[in-house]
Amino acid sequence: MTNPVSTHPDTARVHDGVVEVIAARTLYDVGHLRPESHFEADLGIDSVIMESVLLSVREHFALSAELPAGPATIGELVDAVRAALAADAGSGAPAPAATDTGAADPVTEAVVAAAMRQTQYQRHQLALDADLEGELGVDSVVLTSVVAEATERLGLTGPAPDLAGATTLRALADALRACAPAVRNTAPGAEAAGGAGTDTPEPRRAPDSAPGAGPDGWDHRSMKDFTEQRDPDLFAKTRSFAGYLRSREKDRLYWYGMPLHSKCGNRAVIFDELEGRKREFLMFASNNYLGLANHPGVIEAVVDATRTYGATHTGSRFIGGTNMLHKELERRLAAFKQRPACIVYPGGYSANLGAISALVKSYDTLVVDRLNHMSIVDGARLSGAVRKIYRHNDMADLERILSRSAEQGTGGRLIVADGVFSMHGDVCDLPEIVRLAKEYDARVMIDDAHSTGVLGVRGSGTAEHFGLKGEVDLELGTMSKTLAGMGGFVVGEEEVVEYLRYYSNSYVFAANIPAGVAAGLIAAIDVIEAEPERLKRLWTNIGTLRGRLLEAGFDLEHSESAILPIVIGDERRAMEMGRAVRARSLFCQTVVYPGVPLGDARLRVSVTCEHTPQDLDLAAEIFVDAARETGVLPTP
């Protein structure tokens, strides 16, 4: 049966363009998008996504007028676009410029198609020579998905190749072509790609249980190897990962999620589930930087408010879930951060998701540091905005991206950066970020998750640290670290905060923190303001341990905070050193992929004001001994 779309060239062209836009916005495969596909019933496209689709279709075809909101199927939308194009032609409006698909061969076509699905870009936005990070916002996680899908489209079998060094789509296609030269001039699914007489190649599957052991018996796989395993059984990847996880745990290398059996201070009792016993550890994995989680006044405030107001509330902030303590907490946080207004979210992660997705839309540009927290990355994805990634703390690269984005689009720009980078401990170059934002008419949001209570004379964060209070548009933070509670917040101008209250889905449609937690947070702010010696003691401890570790020869990168990264690089050696440290009854975080990129593994050491001089001396001794045992430091 002849496809009716193909009988009219103009209709076919419009249909293909509409389908490409829908595929980019929804991540559906184009083969699933038929003219009769109903947006809601068949595709699950709600009114919010539909608005984005209509706007993108209008931009794709350079239509002068808005499209009607009525089309219920793809075919009806195609007809609406054809009518709009005819109206523009009749009015003398310029015709849309032809888009360069860049699909010069099947390999490039597979790469471009995969990039469209994984990034939500339209085809005409994917220039083959655009920098993947700086211009397209494709980070290492998204790149893994693009490579996996492209190899599947080409019918390649076996694990996806590691093409992390490719910096453009063209380079990615060239690298894939070199891996599989047989597909160079062959359409996907033909003999060279999928076997003789094969119309649809078998999907690439990672082995279900075969270990990735090398000649030395070491399983060289990482968590990255399980993210893109394709299988008709959705749970196949979980079985593959389970075997890998059990092996790592058996070797005492993965030691994540062990439960505490005590308060978490400078020392803590943890139940070692692998050994089946409780153990006391010297604790250097806590974000309780000022020791407020164990402060009697904070604990008593939580208990008293819980007795008064109950264990929790029973609705969102808009519907029965606002307590007077929420209002007071927002007032106190705004005053502490010296900004006009504050909104409290259920968590720091949801604060980034809600604030970014509420303010930034598909026609705007989000400019982010390469090492930002995953909550910022996910907020960018949820917003559907064009994402640009600048090299870590590289202000020349940031200016290059801002300059290009100013030339290319009419939407707004938001620069988002961590104040303190959570796995590296260094501080963003806020003075230069603010200067560039003013020059290129962009807004700035700084995530103070690890800055609040640590940076600045009063401990109010990055802006105070640099003397830039009032110069940063939005300051975001979490209350599960220094502030010793739960939740997240954003402070800024009152009209912006009120807009967030109504447009942040993670605020509007979620229950917020209980009254007892809010009371504890207010008490924590009281302690910070009444006992400034806690902050002074924290920085004394930071300086002491940093000096000892640097003297021993450890690489601490450019840490300027309470987070001291012991950079090792090799994932196996980092896990082995983490095991050696724990064997000596000290606990710090062993950070591997996806916490950091492959090849950048490390131990993450968190210093608090509760550590004694004896704790710091013992910790330095343990780190040195464990490093020499595992070859991270040479044996004297």
Side-chain angles (χ1 to χ4, degrees):
M1 179 178 177
T2 304
N3 185 339
V5 172
S6 64
T7 61
H8 299 89
D10 181 58
T11 304
R13 179 181 67 84
V14 174
H15 173 271
D16 290 347
V18 168
V19 165
E20 285 184 358
V21 172
I22 296 172
R25 287 282 166 239
T26 65
L27 301 186
Y28 276 116
D29 188 274
V30 293
H32 188 78
L33 301 173
R34 308 290 297 170
E36 64 274 14
S37 297
H38 192 281
F39 289 121
E40 286 191 344
D42 296 325
L43 304 177
I45 296 177
D46 60 24
S47 59
V48 177
I49 300 175
M50 192 64 197
E51 181 182 349
S52 174
V53 168
L54 292 175
L55 180 61
S56 297
V57 167
R58 181 184 174 192
E59 292 176 346
H60 182 86
F61 290 99
L63 301 176
S64 59
E66 292 185 6
L67 288 165
T73 67
I74 291 177
E76 291 178 14
L77 180 54
V78 170
D79 290 341
V81 173
R82 289 185 65 211
L85 287 170
D88 281 351
S91 66
T99 57
D100 178 15
T101 66
D105 61 83
V107 179
T108 304
E109 170 61 28
V111 169
V112 171
M116 286 176 61
R117 268 180 39 86
Q118 297 298 336
T119 64
Q120 301 186 39
Y121 279 119
Q122 298 171 45
R123 187 177 295 264
H124 71 276
Q125 295 175 303
L126 291 171
L128 292 181
D129 294 312
D131 183 77
L132 289 174
E133 287 196 343
E135 296 179 75
L136 300 180
V138 176
D139 59 25
S140 60
V141 176
V142 176
L143 180 60
T144 298
S145 300
V146 171
V147 172
E149 180 169 333
T151 54
E152 182 181 16
R153 286 175 177 271
L154 293 167
L156 305 179
T157 59
D162 184 4
L163 304 179
T167 58
T168 67
L169 291 176
R170 191 186 302 279
L172 189 59
D174 289 344
L176 271 176
R177 197 175 293 110
C179 293
V183 302
R184 182 177 298 136
N185 297 308
T186 309
E191 288 82 358
T198 302
D199 292 326
T200 304
E202 284 294 313
R204 175 185 56 80
R205 300 184 188 178
D208 279 342
S209 57
D216 57 356
W218 171 255
D219 187 342
H220 291 273
R221 293 176 298 174
S222 74
M223 286 180 61
K224 180 179 180 181
D225 292 288
F226 305 96
T227 59
E228 284 294 329
Q229 181 177 329
R230 311 289 177 93
D231 196 286
D233 179 2
L234 183 66
F235 292 168
K237 55 180 166 283
T238 70
R239 292 190 295 272
S240 300
F241 177 68
Y244 169 84
L245 178 60
R246 297 290 87 80
S247 174
R248 288 287 192 252
E249 289 178 337
K250 179 183 177 183
D251 292 335
R252 302 292 193 271
L253 297 174
Y254 271 28
W255 206 79
Y256 303 112
M258 299 297 174
L260 284 160
H261 276 250
S262 71
K263 293 179 181 179
C264 190
N266 61 326
R267 294 178 181 270
V269 177
I270 301 176
F271 185 78
D272 186 336
E273 295 178 328
L274 300 181
E275 294 189 4
R277 65 185 179 95
K278 296 178 185 178
R279 300 170 58 194
E280 183 179 77
F281 287 87
L282 186 58
M283 176 56 68
F284 279 87
S286 170
N287 297 321
N288 184 28
Y289 298 123
L290 296 184
L292 302 179
N294 304 319
H295 192 285
V298 174
I299 295 172
E300 192 62 31
V302 174
V303 172
D304 287 347
T306 302
R307 287 197 181 102
T308 301
Y309 297 103
T312 187
H313 41 71
T314 57
S316 71
R317 286 287 299 271
F318 277 149
I319 308 175
T322 293
N323 184 282
M324 59 173 290
L325 290 172
H326 291 124
K327 294 280 192 177
E328 176 63 11
L329 175 61
E330 288 174 340
R331 186 189 71 80
R332 290 296 304 277
L333 282 168
F336 178 62
K337 301 287 278 188
Q338 297 180 330
R339 298 306 310 277
C342 172
I343 175 175
V344 166
Y345 289 84
Y349 209 104
S350 61
N352 264 320
L353 292 182
I356 293 172
S357 62
L359 292 169
V360 184
K361 298 303 176 184
S362 60
Y363 40 82
D364 297 317
T365 300
L366 194 68
V367 185
V368 298
D369 189 288
R370 187 174 185 268
L371 296 184
N372 275 349
H373 191 264
M374 188 58 70
S375 58
I376 297 172
V377 175
D378 284 349
R381 290 172 179 161
L382 185 61
S383 74
V386 175
R387 183 168 60 129
K388 311 287 188 183
I389 303 174
Y390 61 92
R391 290 189 292 271
H392 177 51
N393 255 351
D394 186 332
M395 296 298 100
D397 198 37
L398 173 59
E399 182 167 21
R400 179 184 66 84
I401 289 171
L402 289 172
S403 176
R404 287 196 179 188
S405 66
E407 296 169 358
Q408 295 170 354
T410 57
R413 287 173 293 281
L414 178 67
I415 305 170
V416 185
D418 285 350
V420 169
F421 291 89
S422 60
M423 295 301 155
H424 299 74
D426 54 343
V427 180
C428 72
D429 188 351
L430 187 58
E432 191 65 4
I433 290 174
V434 169
R435 184 190 73 78
L436 291 172
K438 290 179 179 178
E439 181 175 345
Y440 290 96
D441 197 24
R443 297 291 185 175
V444 176
M445 183 169 84
I446 296 299
D447 185 341
D448 267 349
H450 292 275
S451 309
T452 302
V454 176
L455 295 186
V457 175
R458 298 168 50 253
S460 72
T462 313
E464 183 191 30
H465 175 72
F466 286 107
L468 291 170
K469 272 299 175 187
E471 299 294 319
V472 178
D473 297 291
L474 294 171
E475 296 173 57
L476 181 147
T478 177
M479 297 179 288
S480 59
K481 298 178 174 59
T482 299
L483 294 176
M486 285 296 297
F489 65 90
V490 175
V491 296
E493 296 299 321
E494 188 168 351
E495 63 267 26
V496 180
V497 167
E498 287 306 307
Y499 183 90
L500 293 178
R501 286 194 199 281
Y502 286 85
Y503 288 94
S504 291
N505 289 345
S506 60
Y507 175 90
V508 176
F509 298 102
N512 218 302
I513 59 175
V517 173
L521 291 164
I522 294 169
I525 297 172
D526 288 340
V527 175
I528 292 175
E529 293 176 340
E531 301 179 16
E533 63 271 15
R534 288 177 175 265
L535 182 59
K536 294 177 182 177
R537 192 160 64 245
L538 169 64
W539 277 99
T540 297
N541 289 349
I542 292 170
T544 298
L545 187 57
R546 177 197 281 133
R548 292 289 302 274
L549 295 179
L550 288 173
E551 182 182 357
F554 287 110
D555 177 5
L556 305 185
E557 289 187 324
H558 304 290
S559 173
E560 299 177 81
S561 69
I563 299 168
L564 302 177
I566 297 179
V567 182
I568 297 168
D570 179 71
E571 190 165 286
R572 175 180 182 177
R573 184 160 288 181
M575 288 190 289
E576 289 174 341
M577 181 170 167
R579 179 177 60 190
V581 167
R582 291 191 299 275
R584 292 165 169 81
S585 296
L586 183 149
F587 180 51
C588 67
Q589 294 172 333
T590 304
V591 184
V592 297
Y593 182 92
V596 290
L598 291 177
D600 201 25
R602 62 195 54 215
L603 301 188
R604 179 183 182 274
V605 181
S606 298
V607 183
T608 77
C609 75
E610 293 186 304
H611 289 125
T612 67
Q614 294 75 23
D615 293 336
L616 301 174
D617 288 341
L618 179 57
E621 180 182 328
I622 288 173
F623 286 126
V624 170
D625 289 346
R628 288 172 177 168
E629 176 188 313
T630 55
V632 172
L633 290 180
T635 302

